Amino acid sequence: MSDGTNQRFTETPLVRRKQREERFAQWLFFAMSAAMIVPLLLIVGYLVQRAWPSLSLGFIIDVPVRGMKEGGIWPAFIGTIYLVVLSLAVSAPIGILAAVYLNEYARDNWFNRLINLAVINLAGVPSIVHALFGLGAFVYAARFGYSILSASLTLAIMTLPVIIASTREALASVPRSFREACWNVGATRWQTIKAVVLPNSISGILTGVILQVSRAAGETAPIMFTGAVFFKAVQKGDLFPYNFNEQCMALSMHLYTLSTQVPGVKESIPFATAVVLLGLVLAVNAAAITLRVWLRNRKKW
Amino acid sequence: MSDTPQPSITTRSLNLWYAKFQALIDVSADIKHGLITSLIGPSGCGKTTLLRCFNRVNERYGYVTTTGEIKLLGKNIYDPDVSLVELRKTVGMVFQRPNPLPISVYENVVFGLRIHHERSQLTRAMLDEAVEKALTEVGLWDDLKDRLNARATSLQLEQQQKLCIARLLPLKPEIILMDEPCSALDVEGTRGIEELMFALKGRYTLVVVTHNMSQARRASDECIFMLLGRIIEHSRTEDLFLTPKHPKTAEYIEGRYG
């Protein structure tokens, strides 16, 4: 043990070079994250700034007046909520239960793999294709007409594949050993699913479902073809203004109309509509994240 | 003290907290150079934590606080001029589950070399030589010399664990830390790894955490018995098992608790 030992573990030029690379890599990754976040913040900031003169609670619960040039967006706001709730009420149970079957019961054979492939590919089909399918299937063939029902079912068809895919992923992330533990005390598959699989994957399933809320709320093409309408006279703040067999207004459609079809709209109104749409989606996602954090805190592994 | 080797690891009043929980309390030990030292004690007594201090992996977790001194080969590893990269190159670690990387046997062995050298410094001949030397040292060369391109994860567990040891050797480590290296292996595998430990001792200092009392007895020169974060007894293995000084040690090695 001579004096030389004190030089142990000190940096060599190579280590210093590697550390420079490390810092560069870290900086690069940070820069890319910033490049992702900054434009988003700028967009939101710009929207809010332009929308500011119109933003108020009154704007949400007021009806449009003077040929939609002034006033609020209540008919579109409540219409979007109708469409989203109804479409998810259809697609979430079907999607989740189908995913449970595919993941827990179905044998892993070529047919199952084919279905899986089809589901993944369906998730990538453009929304305009779903729109035309909805038009043909629900509006004409099933004779639902241009209505909330047709539009919601079309949105449901559109969100279904993604819900199935994300639910399967959540189910697959539950360790196999948990299932084996259950089977080995003689539990049936359904008991296993109820007692172990679903409680441990519920947060992932919910995340997948709720992400589809924003998609259903934001898509314009499917509802434009099947049930959304340019204008509908509605009472201010009326919570149940529509029947399911009627057409309704929707935020995304309303935004499109205001910014391209109606001349002389007060400048801040389209921006305010966009902010409300964003805010609605954000509120739903925030609720989902809160729920997920709460569920995950109960998770013990 | 002329016949006892120089210590290669020295700790002085080492304390370690996971957040508020103190996992190591005033640990002072001298681990001798070139010997196999085993750390024994019941679960949760701090064996693994102590082992992980020696190459500073604990601090990856933000909530760990350490005080005290750890000297490796005469150098305090908490000195500001210590480079973690160089430290971990010198102090290798073998884990409970064999963790070969999912690449070929050959690439696993040269992985460290590739990380620690410029590409231009490494010739094919050098790499080939390093692979042969490392695999020969752990006794895998004859079995694997024709299968160097096989996926490392396709080997038997014992071979995988030996490969994980071989992966450390090309970097010329001084100290090899083993965290229950045999607990995933069967009797044959355990014997294989223990024979390998004997073959490696002398050139390397080995520190082995084990739950298996008879393994500690068979395969180590010195034994450290820990309980609730403290070192209770540290002596030559025969002395510790035949004439334990502390009553707690005696109870533990007789299997009354643990």
Side-chain angles (χ1 to χ4, degrees):
Chain A
M1 297 287 143
S2 61
D3 295 351
T5 52
N6 284 341
Q7 293 310 306
R8 271 181 186 285
F9 313 135
T10 49
E11 292 177 346
T12 61
L14 180 64
V15 171
R16 272 195 286 280
R17 215 202 71 199
K18 282 193 289 190
Q19 251 150 13
R20 276 199 301 278
E21 282 172 11
E22 169 75 23
R23 274 195 294 277
F24 173 74
Q26 193 179 358
W27 180 85
L28 183 71
F29 291 129
F30 173 79
M32 290 301 148
S33 317
M36 174 195 79
I37 293 163
V38 168
L40 273 177
L41 289 179
L42 284 179
I43 291 172
V44 173
Y46 177 76
L47 280 179
V48 171
Q49 190 218 340
R50 295 292 300 268
W52 195 249
S54 288
L55 277 183
S56 65
L57 187 64
F59 177 72
I60 296 178
I61 59 170
D62 257 340
V63 293
V65 290
R66 297 192 48 213
M68 301 209 288
K69 290 184 186 122
E70 284 169 29
I73 51 164
W74 178 253
F77 185 80
I78 195 75
T80 290
I81 293 181
Y82 263 64
L83 290 172
V84 169
V85 170
L86 191 58
S87 69
L88 284 181
V90 173
S91 64
I94 297 181
I96 292 171
L97 299 186
V100 168
Y101 178 79
L102 289 174
N103 202 60
E104 302 293 322
Y105 286 96
R107 279 175 216 287
D108 187 25
N109 53 19
W110 65 270
F111 187 64
N112 190 1
R113 283 198 285 273
L114 193 70
I115 290 179
N116 203 16
L117 193 68
V119 167
I120 289 168
N121 278 313
L122 270 180
V125 168
S127 59
I128 188 77
V129 177
H130 288 292
L132 290 172
F133 172 77
L135 182 68
F138 302 123
V139 177
Y140 293 130
R143 295 181 192 282
F144 293 151
Y146 294 96
S147 61
I148 293 180
L149 190 61
S150 297
S152 299
L153 289 174
T154 310
L155 286 176
I157 295 284
M158 185 188 77
T159 50
L160 200 51
V162 186
I163 290 181
I164 294 181
S166 62
T167 304
R168 281 193 77 162
E169 212 155 291
L171 293 174
S173 74
V174 177
R176 198 178 167 72
S177 58
F178 287 13
R179 295 189 181 89
E180 283 168 351
C182 245
W183 295 337
N184 280 315
V185 293
T188 61
R189 276 182 190 256
W190 164 234
Q191 285 174 315
T192 308
I193 291 166
K194 198 170 53 171
V196 171
V197 178
L198 283 182
N200 284 302
S201 56
I202 192 76
S203 62
I205 295 175
L206 278 178
T207 310
V209 170
I210 285 165
L211 280 178
Q212 291 311 301
V213 169
S214 38
R215 227 175 125 227
E219 284 290 355
T220 320
I223 55 171
M224 203 155 124
F225 277 59
T226 52
V229 74
F230 184 80
F231 180 75
K232 189 98 181 168
V234 153
Q235 287 291 309
K236 173 181 173 180
D238 185 356
L239 281 174
F240 303 102
Y242 301 117
N243 285 325
F244 288 155
N245 58 2
E246 290 176 348
Q247 287 176 281
C248 69
M249 291 174 73
L251 279 176
S252 55
M253 173 83 176
H254 189 58
L255 183 55
Y256 169 75
T257 337
L258 284 182
S259 39
T260 60
Q261 311 290 307
V262 184
V265 179
K266 193 177 155 195
E267 199 200 11
S268 59
I269 286 186
F271 288 102
T273 309
V275 169
V276 171
L277 184 53
L278 270 181
L280 188 66
V281 168
L282 200 70
V284 172
N285 285 351
I289 291 169
T290 317
L291 187 64
R292 200 175 60 193
V293 167
W294 181 72
L295 286 170
R296 194 179 288 160
N297 283 344
R298 299 193 318 171
K299 190 155 136 177
K300 294 290 184 282
W301 52 278
Chain B
M1 298 283 277
S2 56
D3 59 339
T4 48
Q6 288 281 352
S8 62
I9 304 176
T10 319
T11 72
R12 287 293 172 263
S13 41
L14 177 67
N15 293 290
L16 182 143
W17 290 264
Y18 291 115
K20 295 260 175 280
F21 173 75
Q22 187 165 11
L24 293 179
I25 305 163
D26 196 24
V27 169
S28 298
D30 295 303
I31 292 176
K32 298 202 179 66
H33 185 77
L35 296 186
I36 304 175
T37 303
S38 59
L39 297 175
I40 59 171
S43 297
C45 69
K47 309 180 294 278
T48 301
T49 303
L50 180 60
L51 194 74
R52 283 168 166 261
C53 280
F54 297 150
N55 64 356
R56 289 177 63 182
V57 246
N58 278 332
E59 51 195 274
R60 277 262 160 133
Y61 312 102
Y63 54 94
V64 173
T65 335
T66 321
T67 64
E69 186 187 74
I70 305 176
K71 273 191 175 176
L72 258 61
L73 309 156
K75 171 84 177 171
N76 186 353
I77 59 172
Y78 286 100
D79 278 354
D81 65 333
V82 165
S83 151
L84 278 185
V85 170
E86 290 296 313
L87 173 67
R88 290 181 186 157
K89 189 175 149 190
T90 316
V91 184
M93 183 134 186
V94 179
F95 296 86
Q96 195 166 353
R97 296 274 324 165
N99 57 354
L101 297 166
I103 45 181
S104 71
V105 171
Y106 187 95
E107 284 302 320
N108 259 287
V109 179
V110 298
F111 189 79
L113 284 179
R114 288 204 197 277
I115 283 199
H116 287 280
H117 292 85
E118 308 267 5
R119 182 170 295 196
S120 55
Q121 289 177 326
L122 295 170
T123 60
R124 190 75 195 178
M126 268 173 67
L127 295 179
D128 288 344
E129 193 195 323
V131 169
E132 176 165 0
K133 192 157 169 260
L135 288 181
T136 311
E137 222 169 324
V138 299
L140 280 181
W141 178 249
D142 290 331
D143 292 337
L144 293 184
K145 66 183 170 202
D146 302 320
R147 292 166 54 200
L148 291 178
N149 289 319
R151 240 171 197 272
T153 42
S154 68
L155 303 178
Q156 297 160 6
L157 275 182
E158 179 194 347
Q159 292 179 324
Q160 289 189 15
Q161 192 64 301
K162 285 180 171 174
L163 180 66
C164 291
I165 298 170
R167 188 170 56 189
L168 306 172
L169 302 181
L171 294 176
K172 307 199 168 36
E174 309 257 357
I175 297 167
I176 297 180
L177 309 174
M178 298 182 166
D179 189 355
E180 295 182 46
C182 301
S183 64
L185 304 179
D186 64 1
V187 179
E188 283 301 313
T190 305
R191 180 179 308 153
I193 297 292
E194 283 173 10
E195 276 165 9
L196 175 57
M197 281 159 56
F198 283 122
L200 294 176
K201 97 180 212 198
R203 278 168 299 163
Y204 310 98
T205 305
L206 281 83
V207 187
V208 185
V209 165
T210 178
H211 267 125
N212 184 332
M213 215 70 58
S214 37
Q215 176 173 53
R217 195 164 184 172
R218 277 195 305 269
S220 66
D221 302 299
E222 295 218 330
C223 234
I224 295 178
F225 172 63
M226 293 183 72
L227 195 60
L228 299 173
R230 293 173 200 276
I231 289 189
I232 303 293
E233 193 163 342
H234 178 188
S235 61
R236 289 172 54 224
T237 301
E238 304 94 278
D239 296 346
L240 188 125
F241 277 95
L242 293 176
T243 52
K245 290 190 196 69
H246 198 284
K248 288 276 181 204
T249 317
E251 285 177 28
Y252 182 71
I253 59 179
E254 282 167 24
R256 277 191 225 154
Y257 64 96

